[in-house]
Amino acid sequence: MPKYKEIIREIIQTIEKKEMEQGDKLPSIEVLMEEFEAGKNTVLKALDELEKQAYIYQVRGSGSFVRKHRRKGYVNITETNGLKNSLRDFKLESKMLDLKVIKPTPEVIANLNVEADEDIYYVKRLRSIEGRKFSIEESYYRKKIVPYLNQEIVEDSIFSYLIHDLKINPGFTDHFLRVSTLNKESADLLNLNPGDPTVLLESIFFLKNGEPFDYSKVIYHHEETQFFVQGFSYIDL
Amino acid sequence: MPKYKEIIREIIQTIEKKEMEQGDKLPSIEVLMEEFEAGKNTVLKALDELEKQAYIYQVRGSGSFVRKHRRKGYVNITETNGLKNSLRDFKLESKMLDLKVIKPTPEVIANLNVEADEDIYYVKRLRSIEGRKFSIEESYYRKKIVPYLNQEIVEDSIFSYLIHDLKINPGFTDHFLRVSTLNKESADLLNLNPGDPTVLLESIFFLKNGEPFDYSKVIYHHEETQFFVQGFSYIDL
């Protein structure tokens, strides 16, 4: 692991272990250089990356400060780390409802920018948090990039499998969110009534090289879900 | 204006003027250095900032590519530039419903981290897009930081006033989003029915030094609003 990633990992662990709050100050660059036996550029690279991930904010001339990933129970959609990471303090279960290889629908073709004859893994899951029905997820993975999925993977964490087994590193994500209403099938799965409101979150996940590899549509239980989004600095041009 | 900001501005203008698409390649670092008569570090700083703002993504060994701020009509809540910027292709109107100096409620005290006797500007606005009722916004500004507001400012753009007149540069933002239901007063204002679903977006805006200065609660018309969130790279540690 490159040095700057070690520094990132150590700082994240320190913030979490010490339960540091928003505004708490991190050690100075000089202290971090000494502590990690690293050069200035390496420490700066780690701090810039931590800022990009909204773990800290840097104030010119005064140092680096903790930015809190606040409010337990909120799904942080600024992070591209999968739901399981965002809700790691909770018991999360995923039940596979469907898994098959299909040809893409027009909607999938448009969002993944694929040809009509490309093989696509279709996965449908019902997710529960602390035993309560939470969301219904339909995901479309390009088989070219995710060649294999099975029930065990799908019911554990697909993202953890992609990252640790397939060595696929998600790059960035586009999320589209709006209020919709439940149809009978979805309402039955979530123990709600047809016509009840729901948050519909569509996401396109890209590889670091900019290629889209996963398009997902998730319907959330409107009473069980809250979203957290971390916005970034305005450039005053 | 520092050189790297000039480069940022020029690149954003080029992307918008040429209507560049997701994945379109920007000129190489060497070409940008020559074009802007700038050093490598300056060009790299501009590119890093553009990546942080989700205008581009950088692929190691291959260059920088456009990341599209996609789907017209979506409110991009990753940007801290105010609603007016996000929806600049549309006719946006803000009608002032209330403006007064108050002492903070417990909710405001908690979110802005202020004392109970601090002066707070309370602003309530009804916003319309292309003549259609769109959202009801209640905002709480610390008078210590925003010493003056009037109807003209409130009905134009508060953020533009903060940035250009008060020289206040917003830093980062925390957004909390969930589905709620409308009460009679809000339903009447939005031409909807009490009990109809709504997206409730709570936001805390921070200065670059980490101090919160604005807490706002916005209720959106569920049929008129869609949100766009740009998620950032996963760090594979």
Side-chain angles (χ1 to χ4, degrees):
Chain A
M1 184 183 292
K3 191 81 182 180
Y4 81 95
K5 287 191 182 176
E6 269 178 50
I7 301 175
I8 291 171
R9 190 159 70 170
E10 290 285 327
I11 291 178
I12 291 175
Q13 283 174 356
T14 304
I15 290 172
E16 289 177 353
K17 214 170 55 190
K18 290 194 182 165
E19 297 185 350
M20 291 174 82
E21 291 295 325
Q22 179 110 354
D24 285 356
K25 194 168 179 181
L26 289 181
S28 69
I29 292 168
E30 292 69 28
V31 171
L32 292 172
M33 283 166 65
E34 202 172 292
E35 186 181 331
F36 292 109
E37 295 174 4
K40 187 167 181 177
N41 284 339
T42 306
V43 169
L44 289 177
K45 187 171 163 68
L47 292 175
D48 280 349
E49 192 62 43
L50 283 162
E51 183 167 44
K52 214 154 80 181
Q53 301 282 326
Y55 278 99
I56 65 163
Y57 59 93
Q58 299 184 72
V59 181
R60 200 173 306 175
S62 121
S64 298
F65 301 84
V66 170
R67 188 167 170 195
K68 198 72 181 162
H69 285 227
R70 290 196 300 179
R71 294 203 194 177
K72 266 195 173 182
Y74 276 74
V75 176
N76 185 338
I77 45 179
T78 324
E79 301 182 325
T80 310
N81 296 15
L83 188 64
K84 202 152 180 174
N85 185 62
S86 190
L87 296 172
R88 60 182 170 273
D89 295 332
F90 297 91
K91 188 163 175 265
L92 192 71
E93 278 168 307
S94 299
K95 187 182 166 211
M96 191 180 87
L97 301 176
D98 203 351
L99 172 65
K100 60 190 174 196
V101 175
I102 60 167
K103 296 300 176 190
T105 60
E107 184 185 38
V108 174
I109 291 172
N111 283 296
L112 287 181
N113 198 19
V114 294
E115 300 291 335
D117 63 348
E118 193 175 315
D119 281 341
I120 303 289
Y121 258 121
Y122 169 75
V123 184
K124 185 168 181 179
R125 299 190 288 182
L126 175 64
R127 313 191 89 174
S128 308
I129 182 165
E130 302 284 332
R132 301 192 308 274
K133 306 291 167 50
F134 174 71
S135 66
I136 303 165
E137 179 194 291
E138 294 182 285
S139 289
Y140 300 86
Y141 293 91
R142 297 176 70 184
K143 195 164 184 297
K144 193 179 121 181
I145 296 170
V146 182
Y148 180 70
L149 287 173
N150 64 21
Q151 179 163 7
E152 192 192 344
I153 296 164
V154 163
E155 297 203 332
D156 184 25
S157 163
I158 298 178
F159 261 69
S160 160
Y161 166 71
L162 297 184
I163 292 160
H164 298 116
D165 297 301
L166 295 185
K167 309 292 177 199
I168 290 172
N169 288 319
F172 50 90
T173 318
D174 284 348
H175 298 286
F176 305 93
L177 187 151
R178 60 189 168 85
V179 173
S180 181
T181 49
L182 293 174
N183 62 20
K184 170 119 184 38
E185 189 198 343
S186 301
D188 285 349
L189 284 169
L190 293 174
N191 297 335
L192 288 168
N193 297 311
D196 276 353
T198 180
V199 173
L200 170 62
L201 180 68
E202 289 176 80
S203 307
I204 306 171
F205 296 88
F206 298 85
L207 299 177
K208 285 207 196 305
N209 70 5
E211 219 180 345
F213 71 96
D214 171 20
Y215 167 60
S216 82
K217 287 169 72 168
V218 187
I219 282 168
Y220 288 93
H221 191 302
H222 70 283
E223 286 167 349
E224 298 286 356
T225 326
Q226 323 200 75
F227 297 91
F228 179 33
V229 176
Q230 297 182 289
F232 287 83
S233 292
Y234 172 85
I235 328 181
D236 38 314
L237 297 175
Chain B
M1 182 182 295
K3 191 81 184 181
Y4 81 95
K5 287 191 182 176
E6 271 178 47
I7 301 175
I8 291 171
R9 190 159 69 170
E10 290 285 327
I11 291 178
I12 291 175
Q13 282 173 357
T14 303
I15 290 172
E16 289 176 353
K17 214 170 56 191
K18 291 196 181 164
E19 298 186 349
M20 291 174 81
E21 290 296 326
Q22 179 110 353
D24 284 355
K25 194 167 179 181
L26 290 179
S28 68
I29 292 167
E30 292 69 28
V31 171
L32 292 171
M33 285 166 65
E34 204 173 292
E35 185 182 337
F36 293 108
E37 295 175 7
K40 187 166 181 177
N41 284 339
T42 306
V43 169
L44 288 177
K45 187 172 164 68
L47 292 175
D48 280 349
E49 193 61 45
L50 283 163
E51 182 167 43
K52 214 155 80 180
Q53 300 282 327
Y55 278 99
I56 65 163
Y57 58 94
Q58 300 183 70
V59 181
R60 198 173 307 174
S62 119
S64 298
F65 301 85
V66 171
R67 188 169 169 193
K68 199 73 182 161
H69 284 226
R70 290 197 300 179
R71 293 204 195 178
K72 268 197 170 180
Y74 277 73
V75 176
N76 186 339
I77 47 178
T78 323
E79 300 184 324
T80 309
N81 296 14
L83 188 62
K84 201 152 180 172
N85 185 61
S86 190
L87 296 173
R88 61 180 170 273
D89 296 332
F90 298 90
K91 188 162 175 268
L92 193 70
E93 279 168 306
S94 299
K95 187 182 168 212
M96 192 179 87
L97 301 176
D98 203 351
L99 173 65
K100 60 191 174 195
V101 176
I102 60 166
K103 296 299 176 191
T105 60
E107 184 186 37
V108 174
I109 291 173
N111 283 297
L112 287 180
N113 199 20
V114 294
E115 300 292 333
D117 63 350
E118 192 175 316
D119 281 341
I120 302 289
Y121 258 122
Y122 169 75
V123 185
K124 186 170 179 177
R125 299 190 286 183
L126 175 63
R127 313 191 88 174
S128 308
I129 181 166
E130 303 284 331
R132 301 192 307 275
K133 307 291 168 48
F134 174 71
S135 66
I136 303 165
E137 180 195 287
E138 294 183 285
S139 288
Y140 301 85
Y141 292 92
R142 298 177 68 184
K143 195 164 183 301
K144 194 178 121 181
I145 296 169
V146 182
Y148 180 70
L149 285 174
N150 64 22
Q151 181 164 4
E152 191 192 344
I153 295 164
V154 163
E155 297 203 332
D156 184 25
S157 164
I158 298 178
F159 261 69
S160 161
Y161 166 71
L162 297 184
I163 292 161
H164 298 116
D165 297 301
L166 295 186
K167 309 292 177 202
I168 290 172
N169 288 318
F172 50 91
T173 319
D174 284 347
H175 299 285
F176 305 93
L177 186 152
R178 61 188 166 85
V179 173
S180 182
T181 49
L182 293 174
N183 63 20
K184 171 122 187 32
E185 188 198 344
S186 302
D188 286 349
L189 285 169
L190 293 174
N191 298 334
L192 288 168
N193 298 311
D196 276 353
T198 181
V199 173
L200 170 62
L201 181 68
E202 289 178 80
S203 307
I204 305 171
F205 296 88
F206 298 85
L207 300 177
K208 286 208 197 302
N209 70 4
E211 222 181 342
F213 71 96
D214 171 21
Y215 166 59
S216 82
K217 287 169 70 167
V218 187
I219 282 168
Y220 289 93
H221 191 302
H222 70 283
E223 286 167 350
E224 298 286 354
T225 326
Q226 323 200 75
F227 298 91
F228 178 33
V229 176
Q230 297 181 289
F232 287 84
S233 292
Y234 171 86
I235 328 181
D236 39 313
L237 298 173

